[in-house]
Each structure stands twice: as C-alpha cells, then as structure tokens.
Amino acid sequence: MFRTALRNVFAHKARLLMTVLAVMLGVAFVSGTLVFTNTISRAYQNSSAKGFDHVDVAVTADYQESKGNKVGKTAELTQAILDQSGRVPGAASALGVVKGFTAIADKDGGLLGDGWQSEGGNYSGTEDPRYPLVSGHAPSGEGEVLLDAKSAERAGYKVGDTLRVSVDGPVLTPTLTGIFTTDDGNVAAGGSLALFDTATAQHLFGKKGTYDEIDVQAKAGVSQAALQAELDKALPGKLVETTTGKELADDQAEMISSQMGSFRQLLLVFAGIALFVGTFIIANTFTMLVAQRTKELALLRAVGASRRQVTRSVLVEAFVVGTVAGATGLVAGIGIGIGLKSLMGSLGGTVPDGPLIVSGSTVTTAFAVGILITMLAAWLPGRRAAKIPPVAAMSSVHARATTKSLVLRNTLGALFAGAGVAVVLAATTMNGSDGQAPMGIGAVLLIIGVFILTPLLSRPLIAAAAPVLRVFGTAGKLARQNSVRNPRRTAATASALMIGLTLITGMTVMAGSLQRSIDKMATAAVKADYVVSMANGNGLSTDVEQRLAKVDDVTDVTPLRNAVSRIDGETEYLTGVNGAAIGKLTDLKVDNGAFEVGGTEVVVDADTAKHYGWKAGSGFTVHYEDGKAQRLTVAGVYEGNELIRGIMLDTATLAPHQTDPADMQVMVKTSDGASTATKDKLAKALGSNPAIKIQSKQDLSDDIAQMFTLILNMVYGLLAMAVLVAVLGVINTLAMSVFERSQEIGMLRAIGLDRKGVKRMVRLESLVISLFGGVLGIGLGVFFGWAAGELLGTKMATYELVLPWGRMGLFLLGAALVGVLAALWPARRAARLNMLSAIKAE
C-alpha cells in the first residue's frame, strides 16, 4: 500500500502541484515571519546589551504611591545620592545620567532620524567612557553639543557646524564640538543621540540638580550582586531602587522579545488565515483525486485491502505532499525573512547589524505545519473513500449524495449560522470590552455555518446569474450547469475566496466608519484654526504659547496643560486652559450650567461629573501635586469625547502648583483663518522647528485618513497571501474538473462546440464560482463591519456606519478578475484536448 501511495503521488504530480504551492505559501508566510522576527529581535537584543557594558548596578528613583490626598510622585536622585553611591565599598565610579527627547534638524530643515527615537543626554566631564569621541572635544555650556557618528554621517554634519536643536519647543542653535560612537540601541535602529554637558542637560530636561539614573561600576574582583548589596545598605531604600547590569540587559531583552512577539503574533494570524484557506484547496484536491480513483480503490478493497489501509494510502500521499511543501516553504520563508529585513531598510527603518536567525524551532514549525495541515485536510476524503463498498464503487452508485446526508448538512449549517447571528447580535448590545469575546465566537460560528450551507446557497445565487449567462449562448448555459453540478466542490472553491473577502470587506467598513467618526469628532469639537503639538507626543514648553500669542493676526490662544491631582482620595488629571479663550476655540455641548472657566470656576465632562455626583454649582476640594488644597466650583458640565474630556481650570489657577509645567497641545485662532501664509507665520515664530506639528482641522483629518489608509494597506498586503492561495484553489479545481470531464468535453467538441466555446464555458464557470464567493464574502464582511461598529458605538458617541460602495465594487470586480485569470490555463487545456482521445477516456 505504501508503494501504491507513492506511485499515486508521482502519477498525479501535476494535479498535486497547486496543492503543494498553496501549502508552501502558507508555510513560507509562517517560517518567514519567524525568521524575520527572530533576526530582528536578536539584533536589537545584542545591540542593547552592549549599552550596559559600563553599568554594573543602576540606581533609579522609586515611585511614591498616592496616599489619601497626597499626589504620588517619583523621588529625586540628587547630587548627594550620586556622591554617596560613588563612596560605597566596592564601587570604582558613579556616574549621573540625564536623558530626554532631543530633536535635531537635518540640513534641509527636516527631522533627523526617527522622531520617537531622537534622544538627548549628558556627557560627563571631559572624557565619558560611555561615549568615546571620534573627533572634537567635550561640550561646555548651552552653546555646545555632541552628536553620534551615525547621525552625523547621515546628515553630513562635521565638527564646527551649527545645529538646530529642540527639546520641548523653541529652537536652540548650539555648535557641534564633537562626534562620538555609541552602542545605544536607538541609534543602531535609526535614531539620533545628542549630548550636552551635565548642567545644560539638567536645565534643558527640567532636572535641575537631579538625575534620571546613577550608573555605578564595580572595582576589579567585585561582583554585581556584591556591589548591589552594598548600595542597598548605604542608600535610602524607600527612595531608590537598585538593579544589576545583567538584570537590566535581561529585562531589555525580554521587553524586545515581548514587543517582537506581539508583531509576530499579528503576522502569524494572517499566515494562519492563508493556511486555513489552503485547507479548503487541499481537501478539495484530495476529494477530487479520490473520486477519480474510486474504481481503483474499490479494486484494492476487492483484493484484500482494509479500510484503514485505503485511508492510510491517502494520508501517505498527503504526507509526501506536506513534506515537499514544508521543505520548499521553509526555503521560501528564509527568502521572505531576508526580503522583509531589506524592505525595512528601503522604507527608512534601520535595523542593527546581526546574523540571519534560522532556529531549530522554525525548521520544526515549517515541516509540522506543512505536514499536519495537509494530512488533516486529506483525512476526511480518505476516510470517505474507505467507507465506500467495493461493489458500489465499481458501479459508481456512490457518486450522488443521499437526501439524508444533504438534510443533515443543511440542518447543521442552519443551526451554526443561526447561533452565530444570534450571538453577534447579542454582542452588539453589550458594552465595548464585554462584547468582544462573544462577537468573536459568534463570527466563527456564522462563518462555519455559511461554509456548511454554501452548497445549498450556491444553487439560488448561481441561478440568479442565468439571465446574464444566456447572452453567451450554449457556453453560458453549460457553465451554469457545471457550476451547480457538484455543489460541494463549488462551495469549497468559493469558500476559500469568501474568507479572504470577508476579512478585507469587514476591515474596510470598520476603518472607513472609524475614520469618519474620529474626523467628525475632531472637526465638531475644535473651532481653533490650528492645533500645535510635538511630533512625538511629548509636552511643549510654556514658551510656545507665549510666542504664538505675539504673532500678528492671532486672536485667541489656549494651552491644554496636564496636571495630576487627588480628589476624594482618587487620582484625577486636570487640564489647564486659558479660561478667556477656551470657549472660543472649542465647541462642546453643555448639558448643565455654563461653559465658564476662570478663577476657582471649572467645567467638567459628563462622565467625571456622574462619577462624583457633581452638577453646576457643586463644590469640591482638589489637592495639587505640590500638596496644597483648593476649593473649586463646577460652573458647567459638558459632553466630552475621545479628544477633549476631564476637568478644565484656568492655567492662572493651576500654574502656581506646578514645578515643571508642560503643554500637550496649544490651540490657536487667527483673524484670517487657516491658510498657508498663516501657517508659515506660526512656524517662523517657533523657529521653523521640525519637531513641532502645526495642524489645521484639514491636516488633522488628513492625518487620521493617512493612519487608517496605512493600516488598511498593511492588512490588504497581509491578506493578499490568502487571496493568492484562493486563486490557486480556483485554478486547481478547474484544472482537475477539466480532467474529470475529459470525455464530456470530447463529446461536446464532437457535436459541434468549437474550441472558443470550450474556453468560454470554462472561463464563465470560473467567473460564476468566483463571483459567488465574492458576493458571500462581501455580504459577511459588511455584516461583521456593522456589528463591530455597533460595539464601538457604545464608547464613541460620534460613531457612524460608512459603507464604502466604491471599494466594495472594486472587491467584486477583483473577484471577477480572479475568476477570469484563474481560468486561463484550465480553459486553454480544455480547448486543446483531442476529442477522440477524450471520448475514449474513462
């Protein structure tokens, strides 16, 4: 039986090729994901580990939890703690570290490096062992700065050049006095690192006289653990925390691994979708192969082969196919991993140097996935073939499904689909987070139900295309009959395409609806002409508001300044605003009282007011971060949204209680409204700073649209693999169907159907099947998109369902194109059949 199975593989190698390709693509996706993420993860881990070479023990400030009415805050690492750390037994040196965001402009005025990885820090003394100088000398005073060698090379800077630098808003213009090398992982990944002398760094980053971290090196022969023990004894335990360099490196490696793990899971989800779609193709292929060999299998049964041996022979074929697919998929996956790394580089992302990682688990996974998926998909056809009695197989009485089996299938499908719809509809009535799991379960049940019902659905839906097919005469009529002749095969072929289009349509509906809702929220709530913020989301210096207020044509300016406080023993974040201007710059519906901010009068969003039981006229005591308390009065309650919410009070009231205030945004209104000239004037007032974003309402809308477009394009790209696998399934089904119907096609040719008619028949059959899958997929996608939107609507008042008719039309057109392209080779093969040989074929 083993030899027979191997002979069958080689006898049908052309027909199994598409199955191998389908499995190979899925395996390649999986192994490519593992190779790529393992390679990137290892490179970042190695790069970051080098950054801890000069740290044996790191001393950091401990966070003091909020208690009662006292606001929690992080303790300070003072100069005294630094000096004390350097004097403990076993310590060779102690170095204070100051760090913060620092944006550097390139020679064209743009942001140098990745904005999220533009870092700044302090250079200690005249020779800092962490940063060996390549050229120049150490910085001194606010007018001097150092730059890492990679960034200097990218921007073309050399010692003596004047740089344009921003820490929290206004532009600084220090002189580049030196260039250094570093093992910093952010720099290796494309970021930049600028260094000031310690006093300047402390001033710029708001850490006057304090440090973010103290790095202590041990004397020769002193272990990290021993040094840590000495530091724990000497330093105030309630204020500081100590961590060994090894623990820091391990934590960093674990964090990188966790981050890459999330990315890996996302990619593997899409790989799983491709494999799931491929399962339909495998099952379809083996079903057809087994059906074509029923007499052969019956003969084997007649000469003594048992049911198990027949099933095993089919599984052996599947094992061989899966092994070949696993091996080729692994090789292709390694290529995909290399390609993805190169793609990151071409798109501007920089990856630290490192070897390609092809782990043993990747190899095992590739073969396991290829073999298991193939064998699982082939098991049911093999088992079904083994159950056919030899005499029935010889006379082909097994060919037609019994009424009982069809009733059972349709009943089961209806139960699954009904349960799925019921669970999804129930989930739409729940709260956002509570309804996620039920909706996911309902979606799975509905997809399974529709798949089971697809043979039943195929007849009426394909029959609906009959008027159009009549235009093509005999070829159209035959195409329709061929499409519904074997509903199960048609269903399996269409289902592969259906799943891909369901996901694509659902994501498109959700993304379009979310974009409209957020856009509506932003434009409805904001009356300001411009919103100013840092490119990386950090706080702005309070100087930004003051500079913008002095610009000609600016009529109103307000900051949105965050501050932590305690109210009734709970932590609450306050928003400091310009009380006289905030009402002119926002358009928030007031439910109770008036929108008046000034002195001790504040406005509160409806959710916060409900939580504390406040209404207009209510008074409450707030405890600020400096420990002082003040009695405030609620002037009005407004409807908050995702962009603007919380307790708003005047900055004049808030500022005296803040030691280092920072504005998250600044809203600006001008007399002439938004225009290019006005925007340029505002940018010039801030020194044409590349780290600051000045956005009109249209810019905000475009940013939202760009974000969703980027996400959608990524999803389309990842789901393209599943669609490609579905295309292979259509080609495979048609090709094997042509082979199966060779005698019939020969007869059609003999009674007058020419080659063009045969080609047209096969193409129309493919088109009908693809459109059937497309209609089902788009219909399910719209339903899931609507349901997910209803769930989001519980947390987003402005949510509005948007049906992207244009894109859905393109998806349907794409499904039709898939049908046409998939039929090219099978149609050509059918037309070239020799009619006499075909008529004699069995």
Side-chain angles (χ1 to χ4, degrees):
M1 291 300 292
F2 180 74
R3 288 197 299 271
T4 302
L6 288 180
R7 285 198 191 100
N8 281 324
V9 171
F10 290 110
H12 303 112
K13 52 183 178 290
R15 280 177 262 173
L16 288 169
L17 177 61
M18 292 297 176
T19 302
V20 171
L21 282 174
V23 182
M24 184 203 77
L25 285 172
V27 172
F29 205 158
V30 172
S31 54
T33 295
L34 295 175
V35 169
F36 172 65
T37 53
N38 287 342
T39 298
I40 300 299
S41 182
R42 182 73 61 83
Y44 275 115
Q45 286 173 4
N46 291 342
S47 176
S48 64
K50 292 177 183 177
F52 299 112
D53 287 346
H54 299 286
V55 184
D56 286 315
V57 178
V59 180
T60 53
D62 202 4
Y63 180 75
Q64 310 300 301
E65 296 289 342
S66 301
K67 292 181 180 179
N69 291 318
K70 188 176 181 180
V71 175
K73 63 178 182 178
T74 303
E76 294 182 337
L77 294 178
T78 61
Q79 184 65 40
I81 294 177
L82 173 62
D83 295 338
Q84 192 175 4
S85 299
R87 291 194 299 265
V88 301
S93 64
L95 190 147
V97 177
V98 184
K99 51 191 174 183
F101 171 73
T102 304
I104 302 169
D106 58 24
K107 290 189 174 181
D108 296 325
L111 186 61
L112 176 62
D114 184 344
W116 292 98
Q117 295 173 320
S118 298
E119 295 289 335
N122 67 311
Y123 188 88
S124 183
T126 56
E127 287 188 19
D128 193 324
R130 300 172 298 168
Y131 309 113
L133 287 172
V134 175
S135 59
H137 60 81
S140 177
E142 292 193 12
E144 296 184 350
V145 68
L146 303 182
L147 184 61
D148 71 272
K150 288 189 176 182
S151 297
E153 183 182 356
R154 282 202 306 270
Y157 284 131
K158 59 183 183 297
V159 173
D161 287 345
T162 299
L163 304 188
R164 296 177 66 250
V165 177
S166 172
V167 171
D168 57 4
V171 172
L172 308 173
T173 55
T175 301
L176 181 61
T177 62
I179 295 172
F180 62 92
T181 59
T182 177
D183 292 320
D184 189 289
N186 285 333
V187 173
S192 62
L193 180 60
L195 300 177
F196 306 90
D197 67 68
T198 299
T200 300
Q202 288 175 325
H203 170 68
L204 291 176
F205 302 137
K207 312 281 175 59
K208 294 178 183 178
T210 64
Y211 301 91
D212 292 295
E213 185 178 302
I214 295 172
D215 293 341
V216 186
Q217 274 200 296
K219 291 179 180 178
V222 178
S223 68
Q224 291 185 351
L227 178 59
Q228 183 183 30
E230 292 293 341
L231 285 165
D232 287 340
K233 283 192 292 184
L235 300 179
K238 292 183 179 180
L239 298 179
V240 302
E241 185 178 355
T242 60
T243 313
T244 65
K246 184 180 183 308
E247 288 173 336
L248 287 172
D250 291 344
D251 289 345
Q252 183 81 354
E254 186 177 343
M255 183 186 72
I256 292 169
S257 180
S258 175
Q259 290 172 344
M260 292 307 298
S262 301
F263 182 52
R264 182 187 297 121
Q265 286 175 4
L266 174 67
L267 291 177
L268 287 177
V269 165
F270 288 97
I273 293 167
L275 284 167
F276 182 59
V277 171
T279 303
F280 291 103
I281 299 172
I282 302 164
N284 221 13
T285 301
F286 278 94
T287 298
M288 294 175 74
L289 283 175
V290 168
Q292 290 167 13
R293 288 169 21 220
T294 49
K295 289 187 179 181
E296 174 190 325
L297 294 173
L299 185 60
L300 288 172
R301 289 287 311 281
V303 296
S306 66
R307 286 186 178 183
R308 286 186 179 180
Q309 286 178 311
V310 170
T311 304
R312 276 196 216 115
S313 70
V314 176
L315 291 178
V316 167
E317 292 180 48
F319 177 81
V320 174
V321 170
T323 303
V324 173
T328 53
L330 176 62
V331 174
I334 293 171
I336 288 173
I338 296 170
L340 286 173
K341 187 178 178 184
S342 301
L343 181 64
M344 277 189 70
S346 65
L347 293 176
T350 306
V351 180
D353 295 330
L356 189 73
I357 306 299
V358 184
S359 64
S361 60
T362 301
V363 176
T364 304
T365 301
F367 279 99
V369 168
I371 293 169
L372 286 175
I373 290 292
T374 310
M375 291 184 71
L376 283 172
W379 174 77
L380 190 59
R383 184 171 175 272
R384 192 184 296 138
K387 290 175 70 175
I388 299 171
V391 175
M394 287 291 191
S395 58
S396 298
V397 296
H398 67 287
R400 191 176 298 275
T402 63
T403 303
K404 182 181 176 182
S405 68
L406 291 174
V407 170
L408 180 64
R409 179 184 180 114
N410 294 338
T411 303
L412 189 63
L415 288 173
F416 268 99
V421 170
V423 173
V424 168
L425 291 176
T428 61
T429 63
M430 300 180 185
N431 191 26
S433 54
D434 296 335
Q436 290 176 3
M439 184 162 289
I441 295 169
V444 171
L445 289 173
L446 179 55
I447 287 176
I448 293 171
V450 171
F451 170 66
I452 296 172
L453 287 173
T454 307
L456 178 67
L457 295 172
S458 65
R459 290 187 177 276
L461 288 177
I462 292 174
V468 178
L469 292 174
R470 285 197 196 102
V471 176
F472 298 95
T474 303
K477 182 179 180 181
L478 290 169
R480 184 181 64 81
Q481 291 174 345
N482 289 335
S483 301
V484 295
R485 177 187 296 180
N486 192 330
R488 287 185 177 181
R489 185 189 303 164
T490 298
T493 307
S495 294
L497 193 59
M498 176 193 78
I499 291 168
L501 282 176
T502 296
L503 294 168
I504 289 173
T505 305
M507 292 296 293
T508 304
V509 170
M510 280 185 62
S513 300
L514 276 171
Q515 180 183 326
R516 173 75 63 84
S517 304
I518 296 174
D519 188 32
K520 186 178 176 182
M521 183 190 300
T523 54
V526 177
K527 284 167 50 177
D529 294 319
Y530 292 99
V531 176
V532 180
S533 60
M534 289 293 283
N536 70 334
N538 278 10
L540 289 160
S541 166
T542 54
D543 289 349
V544 171
E545 179 203 357
Q546 295 165 13
R547 291 193 183 199
L548 291 172
K550 294 176 183 177
V551 176
D552 295 339
D553 303 328
V554 170
T555 58
D556 296 288
V557 179
T558 183
L560 294 179
R561 182 176 303 171
N562 283 357
V564 67
S565 71
R566 297 283 285 179
I567 299 173
D568 293 346
E570 295 184 42
T571 298
E572 283 291 343
Y573 286 90
L574 309 174
T575 301
V577 298
N578 180 338
I582 187 65
K584 303 173 187 176
L585 296 168
T586 58
D587 188 14
L588 298 166
K589 183 181 177 184
V590 179
D591 295 330
N592 181 236
F595 198 88
E596 295 176 357
V597 179
T600 58
E601 287 193 318
V602 302
V603 291
V604 183
D605 71 287
D607 289 341
T608 304
K610 182 179 179 182
H611 176 74
Y612 288 103
W614 296 337
K615 59 183 179 180
S618 297
F620 63 93
T621 302
V622 62
H623 297 264
Y624 297 107
E625 58 186 87
D626 64 353
K628 294 181 180 179
Q630 187 175 25
R631 189 73 178 172
L632 301 177
T633 303
V634 177
V637 177
Y638 67 91
E639 289 186 11
N641 55 48
E642 297 298 318
L643 300 177
I644 302 174
R645 61 172 56 191
I647 302 170
M648 290 188 197
L649 72 164
D650 199 292
T651 49
T653 305
L654 178 64
H657 304 286
Q658 289 186 291
T659 54
D660 186 26
D663 301 330
M664 298 313 295
Q665 291 180 336
V666 175
M667 291 182 175
V668 182
K669 193 168 184 63
T670 63
S671 56
D672 296 333
S675 68
T676 304
T678 303
K679 187 173 182 178
D680 290 342
K681 194 182 293 185
L682 297 177
K684 189 175 180 180
L686 298 175
S688 300
N689 191 332
I692 291 182
K693 292 194 297 185
I694 302 174
Q695 296 177 293
S696 65
K697 286 196 279 189
Q698 185 59 50
D699 293 332
L700 289 170
S701 179
D702 291 343
D703 258 13
I704 294 166
Q706 186 178 11
M707 178 183 69
F708 281 107
T709 300
L710 180 66
I711 294 170
L712 266 184
N713 288 340
M714 184 180 74
V715 170
Y716 290 161
L718 293 170
L719 287 175
M721 185 71 74
V723 175
L724 179 58
V725 172
V727 172
L728 290 176
V730 178
I731 296 172
N732 205 25
T733 301
L734 287 173
M736 296 185 75
S737 179
V738 166
F739 178 84
E740 192 177 66
R741 302 198 319 255
S742 296
Q743 190 177 56
E744 175 191 320
I745 292 170
M747 289 294 293
L748 289 171
R749 289 290 315 283
I751 60 175
L753 189 65
D754 60 10
R755 288 187 174 182
K756 283 186 179 178
V758 172
K759 283 184 180 180
R760 191 178 296 119
M761 176 186 72
V762 176
R763 286 172 185 164
L764 289 172
E765 182 182 346
S766 174
L767 182 64
V768 167
I769 292 172
S770 297
L771 285 174
F772 171 53
V775 168
L776 283 181
I778 292 171
L780 282 174
V782 169
F783 176 71
F784 290 139
W786 166 82
E790 289 294 302
L791 205 59
L792 286 169
T794 60
K795 289 185 173 290
M796 190 178 290
T798 56
Y799 185 84
E800 176 186 347
L801 179 67
V802 176
L803 293 180
W805 295 106
R807 289 205 178 191
M808 288 193 294
L810 287 175
F811 296 157
L812 198 59
L813 189 63
L817 185 62
V818 164
V820 172
L821 294 177
L824 290 177
W825 176 58
R828 185 168 178 268
R829 184 181 176 194
R832 295 181 65 183
L833 283 175
N834 182 290
M835 68 177 76
L836 294 178
S837 300
I839 290 170
K840 290 188 291 182
E842 291 188 8

